[in-house]
Amino acid sequence: MPRFSVIVPCYEVQGFLRACLDSVLEQSFADIELIAVDDRSPDGCGAILDEYAARDPRVRVLHLPENVGLGRARNAALPHATGDYLLFLDSDDTLTPGALRAVADRLDEADDPDVLVFDYARTYWWGGTRRNVLAQVLTQTGDGVFTAAEQPQILDLLMVVWNKAYRRAYVTEHGFRFPPGYYEDTPWTFPVMLSAGRIAVLDRICLNYRQRRQGNILSTTSRKHFDIHDQYERVFGYVDEHPGLADWRPYLHRKMGEHCLDVLAKPDRLPPGDRAEFFRRTAALFARHRPADTRVTGPAAVLTGPYAAYLVRRQAERAGRELGRRALQVRQAAAGRVKHGVRAAHARRPLDPHLVLYSAFSHRGVLGDPAAVYRAAREIAPQVRGVWVVRDLETAAAAEAASLVPDGVEHVLLGSPAHHRLAARAGFFVNNVSWPGTQPKRPGSVHIQTHQGTPLGYAGADLLGKPGARHGFDVPQMLRRADRWDHSLVANRHSELVWERAFPCHFASARTGSPRNDVLVRAALDGSGTGAAFRRRHGIPDGHRVVLYAPTRRAYRRGGHVDRVDPARFAADLGPGHTLVVRLHPALAAGPARGLGLAELHRRGIVVDATDEPHTEEVLLAADVLVTDYSSIMFDYANLDRPIVIHADDWAAYTASRGAYLDITAEAPGHVSRSHEELAELFASGRWQDEESARLRARFRSRFCEFDDGRAAERVVRTLLLGETMPGPDPTRVPGQGAGHDLLAST
């Protein structure tokens, strides 16, 4: 008896069917049977299914004598299913890699619940991917099992059949079946979820829900959308037959009204001449099932009136949105004029040589090189007032909660009157961001660009030849903003030459070193950097070797996320006595990447997800070895003089799409792996820390940690903010765009 029976009904999907079947049969978890139902498809689906069945004994094909529709095609497969759990997969959708393994592990952990709800992502025909917007519901329910009554928010998720695994014995015991017609998921999902005694969740994207450009049944204009009324009649009929569910009537009544109104509002569902009839039938259904003594509120209240009132309301809503849009334009224009006047007034006031505006990483808080300079300035020059610019109220609240804007740190919101007032008078700007184009640079003010690390991939003007990598970036605008820079901080000659080439503007390269790396350099010198606080925070056992895996984003994939290393497999390969810590690129933190398994692996203690750790240096100090692909984090970590492994299995694709200033596979800071097997062998054999690794690292450090001496932040404060003299790590320099400027003199 297999663990899973995966049921796939097929009709006119020959272009997508192979991808669907492959996504199931190529899963790492192989204890499955795949029951494919040819719903009398007129295209080549039947032949494709027979081809797969001939070469894989796990595939069983049912050829129906006539077309019966999606729901009844699923029903046809149910008597043939022998698995412990049922999964329903539409034939144009796909399972994500590792999905069944994750589902199986979660079912074992939850002791075989009746239903397991997992996450999904919408994948669009134009290449975009968007995670389920209500994914947070899966974390709110906790790790245990529950009923719908105990966690009613679980019903807020999309009421579909394919984002769940069902215990087959539970389905058989209750006799659940799919009805004919459109919206057949509704009278299946509500009874199944309301009757389940044990529900569990899996916070992982297990399915890619394909958003087809055309051909989607629910986007086909037809009177078949009237089927939704019959489907809700079946839901209420089920409740009538099960008195214990009577308390759900008000919820289902509201849900039904809102669902039907949503269908009516869609422009591509109903023929225009049938919309009034659809409304009247919906209103009749709404009235018929209205619970006694229930007050109707919210959007569904429109169903208590005539269709004409509904039309008036819809027109008013559209008119209101248009008026709101125009009013916003007027307000923005007026605000622009006011801001211009305010800026002009502030610009007449003298600059304050003791005022510094700081910002870092999209205005997210006290981070990176600017943070190191800020802390050094508070110690060395207490007379200097430092103010941080934070993106918005939401970011400020999150930053305060995460201690990214600690108590006592003065900050203002980007674009606020306070920000404009300070920006007009600040003598110095220390940041790694691009300030808005509306913020002019006053003569005499000094802009210090700290950057976000040593560059490997192309940046600035060099992106002009890489259209994929510059997607979303206005390069000419980037250069106009870089025209404000007076000083560009560099940690090595490589960075100096790159920034002067990528940003052909009039700034001076300051060989200060990277201020944020001061803590790493000092830790390497005195042996104090163990990352003990990070280890305690994440429960890493004493004596464990910490392996940090830090992948970067890719320009050749929309969204930037590509799975090059399977964290679960890598953690298993490392074996006992090791803890794998994963830190994704910040640009991937809010996307689907973590939902593809990382969040669930972190919850189960298989890996530590350090993506949200605000201070990178704490993560680096805790790591005994770094595994990365092309992330600039390697240049920072090299200051610790600890082993580094480069995993470069897609180097050709990366350089073709993004471009690179050096061949990191030829000038690596350690051994290079080009497959998972090579990576695993490096650690199994111990070669990751052999003499050759040390030799490569020493060569790398001498080139790329050239100016990092542990005093970079102090050097910036004394020489660039205070105008004092202080020996640099290397007084020589390579001529470049800023050759006319003295290296460490104030402007």
Side-chain angles (χ1 to χ4, degrees):
M1 179 184 295
R3 187 59 164 159
F4 296 120
S5 294
V6 183
I7 295 173
V8 182
C10 308
Y11 185 79
E12 290 191 340
V13 287
Q14 64 179 9
F16 306 105
L17 184 54
R18 291 182 186 276
C20 172
L21 300 176
D22 289 343
S23 77
V24 178
L25 299 175
E26 294 174 3
Q27 289 281 315
S28 59
F29 186 89
D31 187 17
I32 64 171
E33 63 178 5
L34 192 157
I35 305 174
V37 184
D38 172 17
D39 191 16
R40 197 65 176 176
S41 183
D43 60 3
C45 284
I48 293 173
L49 295 178
D50 290 339
E51 173 193 329
Y52 274 77
R55 68 173 188 242
D56 195 319
R58 296 175 297 170
V59 179
R60 181 183 306 179
V61 180
L62 304 179
H63 293 283
L64 301 186
E66 61 180 357
N67 177 253
V68 297
L70 184 57
R72 287 189 286 186
R74 291 170 178 156
N75 290 341
L78 288 175
H80 300 274
T82 61
D84 297 329
Y85 278 84
L86 304 171
L87 288 95
F88 298 94
L89 180 64
D90 288 353
S91 48
D92 55 352
D93 297 338
T94 56
L95 296 180
T96 60
L100 293 184
R101 173 82 269 170
V103 171
D105 289 346
R106 182 69 180 109
L107 290 173
D108 291 343
E109 182 185 46
D111 194 21
D112 284 4
D114 296 329
V115 182
L116 176 70
V117 184
F118 48 78
D119 202 10
Y120 66 92
R122 296 175 186 266
T123 57
Y124 295 88
W125 61 268
W126 42 265
T129 299
R130 182 167 63 90
R131 188 177 186 180
N132 166 26
V133 295
L134 294 176
Q136 72 276 6
V137 170
L138 298 176
T139 61
Q140 294 169 354
T141 56
D143 295 341
V145 295
F146 54 88
T147 64
E150 293 167 338
Q151 299 282 356
Q153 68 269 27
I154 196 67
L155 299 179
D156 291 336
L157 296 174
L158 192 63
M159 284 289 102
V160 290
V161 66
W162 41 254
N163 65 345
K164 305 172 185 72
Y166 309 87
R167 188 167 58 85
R168 184 169 62 87
Y170 167 65
V171 172
T172 302
E173 175 189 347
H174 286 75
F176 295 126
R177 290 295 184 272
F178 293 92
Y182 282 15
Y183 305 96
E184 77 291 336
D185 285 6
T186 300
W188 166 282
T189 307
F190 278 119
V192 165
M193 294 297 287
L194 297 181
S195 298
R198 302 178 73 248
I199 301 171
V201 300
L202 172 62
D203 182 18
R204 186 193 193 278
I205 297 173
C206 294
L207 182 139
N208 285 323
Y209 175 31
R210 188 187 300 273
Q211 306 294 287
R212 290 161 65 177
R213 184 170 181 269
Q214 56 185 5
N216 187 307
I217 291 177
L218 293 184
S219 296
T220 302
T221 303
S222 168
R223 279 186 62 86
K224 289 186 177 181
H225 292 284
F226 280 78
D227 288 351
I228 193 172
H229 301 132
D230 292 337
Q231 307 298 19
Y232 272 101
E233 287 284 17
R234 293 184 173 98
V235 173
F236 285 108
Y238 184 86
V239 172
D240 289 340
E241 295 169 3
H242 297 79
L245 301 179
D247 289 344
W248 285 102
R249 277 190 165 275
Y251 171 85
L252 293 171
H253 178 254
R254 175 179 60 81
K255 201 75 171 179
M256 179 266 292
E258 293 174 353
H259 193 175
C260 292
L261 286 173
D262 183 63
V263 171
L264 182 60
K266 293 287 194 301
D268 56 355
R269 299 282 175 96
L270 295 161
D274 295 328
R275 299 172 68 82
E277 180 186 353
F278 184 90
F279 178 88
R280 288 192 292 270
R281 288 197 187 183
T282 300
L285 181 70
F286 193 71
R288 185 160 59 252
H289 290 289
R290 180 176 175 178
D293 302 322
T294 297
R295 181 168 174 263
V296 178
T297 59
V302 72
L303 290 168
T304 60
Y307 182 59
Y310 166 79
L311 291 178
V312 169
R313 178 172 176 174
R314 290 281 296 171
Q315 291 169 352
E317 290 173 349
R318 285 193 291 268
R321 287 194 295 269
E322 178 61 20
L323 286 173
R325 185 184 66 83
R326 293 182 180 180
L328 178 61
Q329 291 176 334
V330 171
R331 289 197 300 272
Q332 288 175 335
R337 290 191 295 271
V338 171
K339 287 179 180 179
H340 178 75
V342 170
R343 284 197 295 267
H346 289 315
R348 289 191 290 269
R349 302 176 64 189
L351 291 175
D352 184 347
H354 293 144
L355 174 60
V356 184
L357 277 193
Y358 294 91
S359 191
F361 297 107
S362 301
H363 314 288
R364 288 195 295 114
V366 184
L367 294 164
D369 292 304
V373 174
Y374 171 77
R375 287 190 289 268
R378 294 188 72 170
E379 179 180 342
I380 298 169
Q383 73 276 19
V384 172
R385 177 190 177 193
V387 182
W388 283 83
V389 178
V390 183
R391 184 166 61 231
D392 50 36
L393 281 171
E394 182 179 354
T395 303
E400 290 173 357
S403 297
L404 293 184
V405 181
D407 289 341
V409 174
E410 187 178 358
H411 65 279
V412 294
L413 300 183
L414 180 69
S416 67
H419 167 228
H420 288 301
R421 182 173 64 253
L422 293 173
R425 298 203 60 214
F428 295 91
F429 295 78
V430 178
N431 57 272
N432 63 20
V433 303
S434 290
W435 295 108
T438 55
Q439 179 177 307
K441 181 180 189 294
R442 288 188 65 184
S445 64
V446 177
H447 283 241
I448 301 170
Q449 173 62 228
T450 69
H451 303 289
Q452 297 181 13
T454 293
L456 175 62
Y458 278 4
D462 291 328
L463 290 174
L464 289 171
K466 300 292 180 180
R470 75 166 190 266
H471 180 73
F473 292 98
D474 184 338
V475 174
Q477 183 185 71
M478 291 170 63
L479 298 183
R480 286 193 294 272
R481 294 180 179 182
D483 283 333
R484 304 168 178 172
W485 301 351
D486 292 289
H487 298 285
S488 166
L489 306 190
V490 297
N492 47 66
R493 289 177 172 86
H494 163 81
S495 296
E496 184 174 274
L497 293 176
V498 165
W499 296 134
E500 293 183 356
R501 162 183 157 171
F503 294 93
C505 307
H506 294 285
F507 56 82
S509 293
R511 294 180 172 182
T512 58
S514 293
R516 71 168 183 255
N517 287 340
D518 286 349
V519 63
L520 304 181
V521 175
R522 290 194 292 267
L525 291 174
D526 61 22
S528 62
T530 63
F534 175 88
R535 289 175 177 244
R536 285 194 303 271
R537 194 158 59 246
H538 291 283
I540 298 174
D542 292 339
H544 262 221
R545 175 176 288 140
V546 174
V547 179
L548 172 61
Y549 173 50
T552 193
R553 67 184 306 276
R554 303 302 200 273
Y556 63 78
R557 176 68 60 85
R558 187 181 291 273
H561 176 67
V562 178
D563 279 319
R564 307 309 307 182
V565 171
D566 180 349
R569 182 181 174 190
F570 188 27
D573 290 340
L574 290 173
H578 294 77
T579 294
L580 179 62
V581 176
V582 180
R583 184 175 179 84
L584 298 179
H585 188 280
L588 304 176
R594 296 164 85 178
L596 287 168
L598 183 57
E600 177 65 8
L601 293 174
H602 176 82
R603 186 192 67 81
R604 292 168 53 200
I606 295 174
V607 305
V608 172
D609 179 8
T611 304
D612 285 337
E613 284 286 334
H615 303 294
T616 307
E617 61 273 15
E618 292 188 16
V619 186
L620 299 183
L621 287 169
D624 297 299
V625 53
L626 169 67
V627 178
T628 187
D629 36 39
Y630 323 118
S631 172
S632 64
I633 203 172
M634 73 177 82
F635 299 100
D636 301 328
Y637 189 76
N639 282 286
L640 288 169
D641 197 19
R642 298 175 188 174
I644 301 173
V645 173
I646 300 297
H647 187 64
D649 65 339
D650 65 340
W651 176 242
Y654 178 86
T655 53
S657 59
R658 175 65 189 259
Y661 292 113
L662 69 144
D663 184 352
I664 198 61
T665 64
E667 302 180 71
H671 289 295
V672 178
S673 61
R674 298 183 183 274
S675 68
H676 187 100
E677 290 71 23
E678 289 184 11
L679 179 62
E681 191 277 331
L682 277 173
F683 280 88
S685 65
R687 290 197 302 116
W688 62 275
Q689 57 177 343
D690 63 9
E691 291 183 5
E692 176 65 6
S693 170
R695 184 188 69 80
L696 293 171
R697 186 169 68 254
R699 184 184 67 178
F700 188 86
R701 291 180 69 241
S702 68
R703 179 178 178 188
F704 296 108
C705 302
E706 187 179 8
F707 305 143
D708 282 332
D709 64 352
R711 301 182 67 190
E714 178 189 0
R715 189 170 291 110
V716 172
V717 173
R718 293 195 183 281
T719 62
L720 301 184
L721 299 186
L722 301 180
E724 299 175 359
T725 58
M726 177 179 172
D730 185 341
T732 63
R733 61 164 279 113
V734 177
Q737 295 292 333
H741 295 266
D742 188 4
L743 171 63
L744 295 175
S746 60
T747 301

